[in-house]
């Protein structure tokens, strides 16, 4: 039987090879700590920002420095991927474009897979103010997302 739950597919893939994931964190509460501990079941978590007992941490007082270092460490293979978390996205985007040779004017495509309390899964498009201001931009992101879904999850 085919799987239709993207979270299950992603989790199954994550279990195949343990990865090291950098996460930008500058403040915690019980929910954040619980989420980080759950993540440790599947990945090696490296905190970029504040020191959190029980986690590998790279401390930075400055969010801009932490954002740039997340991208640099990804490029250098220190981490396999990152979640910018509480680091301002502009720091990571600017550094990413610089290190990976992307034109600074190139518009990005970012989205997150979410699930509501009733179990409905959906994608949330960009949450950054400069993005998705026009209908053409929204159509461009939808086109890229649907092509990615088709290729990554064999959805037609």
């Amino acid at each position: 039987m085919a799987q239709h739950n993207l979270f299950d597919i992603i989790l199954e893939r994550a279990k195949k090879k343990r990865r090291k994931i950098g996460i930008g964190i500058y403040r915690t509460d019980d929910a954040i700590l619980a989420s980080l501990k759950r993540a440790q079941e599947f990945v090696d978590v490296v905190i970029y920002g504040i020191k959190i007992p029980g986690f590998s941490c790279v401390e930075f007082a400055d969010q801009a420095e932490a954002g740039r270092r997340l991208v640099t460490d990804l490029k250098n293979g220190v981490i396999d991927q990152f979640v910018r978390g509480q680091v301002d996205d502009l720091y990571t985007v600017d550094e990413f474009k610089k290190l990976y040779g992307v034109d600074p004017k190139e518009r990005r495509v970012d989205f997150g897979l979410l699930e509501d309390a009733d179990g409905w899964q959906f994608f949330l498009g960009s949450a950054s103010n400069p993005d998705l201001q026009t209908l053409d931009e929204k159509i461009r992101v939808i086109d890229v997302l649907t092509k990615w879904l088709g290729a990554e999850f064999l959805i037609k």
Side-chain angles (χ1 to χ4, degrees):
M1 178 184 234
Q3 291 178 311
H4 297 298
N5 181 320
L6 289 180
F7 282 108
D8 289 344
I9 295 169
I10 292 167
L11 184 58
E12 181 180 308
R13 289 180 181 181
K15 289 178 179 179
K16 288 182 179 178
K17 182 175 180 187
R18 193 162 182 90
R19 304 289 182 165
K20 187 180 286 188
I21 308 297
I23 304 176
I25 299 287
Y26 277 89
R27 63 191 174 286
T28 62
D29 60 22
D30 291 342
I32 290 170
L33 290 173
S35 179
L36 290 170
K37 287 177 184 173
R38 277 193 313 274
Q40 279 186 316
E41 295 176 32
F42 308 104
V43 299
D44 295 328
V45 173
V46 181
I47 304 299
Y48 287 68
I50 62 172
K51 181 161 183 54
I52 301 176
F55 294 90
S56 175
C57 301
V58 183
E59 293 182 74
F60 293 99
D62 180 15
Q63 279 194 39
E65 190 177 341
R68 286 190 291 272
R69 180 69 176 275
L70 279 163
V71 178
T72 301
D73 283 358
L74 174 66
K75 176 81 172 167
N76 293 332
V78 175
I79 55 177
D80 296 303
Q81 194 50 268
F82 70 84
V83 176
R84 75 169 175 83
Q86 298 164 352
V87 172
D88 191 306
D89 66 335
L90 295 178
Y91 303 130
T92 56
V93 170
D94 289 345
E95 189 70 10
F96 186 89
K97 287 180 177 182
K98 183 176 89 177
L99 288 181
Y100 286 88
V102 176
D103 182 339
K105 294 177 186 168
E106 178 74 26
R107 301 299 299 223
R108 64 188 169 161
V109 174
D110 57 337
F111 50 87
L113 175 60
L114 304 173
E115 185 172 86
D116 69 13
D118 294 323
W120 286 95
Q121 294 178 4
F122 60 96
F123 287 96
L124 177 66
S126 178
S128 185
N129 285 337
D131 296 333
L132 302 181
Q133 296 296 311
T134 68
L135 178 60
D136 286 343
E137 275 295 298
K138 292 172 185 175
I139 291 170
R140 182 182 70 84
V141 168
I142 290 168
D143 284 344
V144 171
L145 173 59
T146 54
K147 287 176 184 165
W148 175 79
L149 281 169
E152 188 67 28
F153 297 102
L154 305 175
I155 297 172
K156 297 183 191 249

